[in-house]
Amino acid sequence: MPVQQFGELMSDPQKLTRHLIKVILTSFVLAVLAMYFFDQSMSGYFAVPEVTARYRATARILTDIGLSEYYFILALLTWAVAKWIAPRISALRPYPQKIDFFRRWGLNFFVALLLSGVITHLIKFSVGRQRPHKTPDFDPYVFTPFTTHWHWHSFSSGHSQVIFTAATMMSIAFPKMRWFWIPFAALICLTRVVVHDHFLSDIIFGACVGYVGSLLAMTWMRAKTENGLY
């Protein structure tokens, strides 16, 4: 969806609702299809010694780009700088609207990370899917709902949720680079499969949660505070 349509969605609750339902249903169907056709075979492929030697070390490094703490810090730092520091810098005084945008963007980003993170952990806890590395044959159909152990928190992927939340918010802050954010986020998501922390279906729905959670957070911020982006 083109970035410039976000504001239109925020202003039309019915259009936003239809869009979110379409995204969730499409992602769920894709996740189910991936679970049935690709999860086990894809995990098995990345367990082949030659493939592991080629990709795993790099994937292990890249996958940490999806850690949430980096983006919480970025969001809060952007908000704090735009609120207290940037207005006092003489070179930036001619750009009060941009400064205020990034102040609001930092807050919206923080709330988006919180909301999508809560949704992800509720799904993880409720579904209780076993991670691929816990079984020798990468069985994708092992579920132990309502457990707190991280070995059974495979669905959906938290790293994928975080990086797609970041990609959504970055697309808003820097729309001219939107061609980069989503492919980059998808690459980071794929590393979760390579290192056997998640199945393909986990990262598909995790990405969905990150995107949907971001739009819900921006909608809430628009309705409840003066810090909405649209």
Side-chain angles (χ1 to χ4, degrees):
M1 186 191 70
V3 173
Q4 60 266 27
Q5 292 183 10
F6 282 162
E8 183 181 346
L9 283 174
M10 297 298 105
S11 302
D12 189 335
Q14 290 185 345
K15 184 178 291 187
L16 176 65
T17 300
R18 289 195 299 269
H19 176 71
L20 294 180
I21 291 174
K22 186 185 300 183
V23 170
I24 293 169
L25 289 178
T26 301
S27 300
F28 182 76
V29 169
L30 290 175
V32 170
L33 291 174
M35 183 182 299
Y36 187 78
F37 290 107
F38 300 113
D39 277 1
Q40 191 169 29
S41 59
M42 196 168 179
S43 294
Y45 171 76
F46 287 112
V48 174
E50 294 82 3
V51 178
T52 299
R54 188 179 306 149
Y55 297 115
R56 186 176 177 85
T58 302
R60 187 71 265 174
I61 295 171
L62 290 176
T63 200
D64 285 344
I65 294 175
L67 290 172
S68 63
E69 48 262 42
Y70 300 143
Y71 304 99
F72 276 113
I73 292 172
L74 174 62
L76 289 175
L77 190 61
T78 301
W79 169 74
V81 168
K83 182 174 178 63
W84 286 301
I85 299 176
R88 292 173 170 79
I89 299 175
S90 57
L92 297 178
R93 285 175 185 165
Y95 310 101
Q97 291 183 334
K98 287 187 177 181
I99 292 173
D100 187 61
F101 170 82
F102 279 102
R103 178 188 63 80
R104 291 180 288 117
W105 180 85
L107 278 179
N108 278 247
F109 193 2
F110 181 77
V111 174
L113 288 167
L114 279 179
L115 179 59
S116 56
V118 168
I119 294 172
T120 294
H121 283 86
L122 288 174
I123 294 173
K124 286 177 178 289
F125 176 71
S126 302
V127 174
R129 190 184 195 187
Q130 186 172 260
R131 293 183 185 270
H133 69 265
K134 291 304 294 178
T135 57
D137 60 347
F138 306 109
D139 186 349
Y141 303 114
V142 181
F143 296 89
T144 306
F146 309 114
T147 178
T148 57
H149 200 292
W150 77 278
H151 284 163
W152 281 268
H153 284 179
S154 190
F155 187 90
S156 56
S157 167
H159 280 62
S160 301
Q161 164 254 306
V162 169
I163 199 66
F164 261 83
T165 300
T168 303
M169 298 305 298
M170 288 295 185
S171 294
I172 293 169
F174 308 102
K176 290 183 180 179
M177 291 187 64
R178 59 183 179 270
W179 57 269
F180 170 79
W181 303 121
I182 301 303
F184 177 73
L187 173 64
I188 301 305
C189 291
L190 182 60
T191 65
R192 305 304 290 159
V193 179
V194 178
V195 300
H196 293 131
D197 277 345
H198 288 285
F199 293 105
L200 177 62
S201 55
D202 301 332
I203 67 172
I204 290 172
F205 206 74
C208 167
V209 173
Y211 175 72
V212 169
S214 298
L215 295 191
L216 289 175
M218 287 191 291
T219 302
W220 185 86
M221 290 292 284
R222 181 179 188 273
K224 302 296 183 181
T225 77
E226 296 179 354
N227 293 296
L229 286 174
Y230 295 102

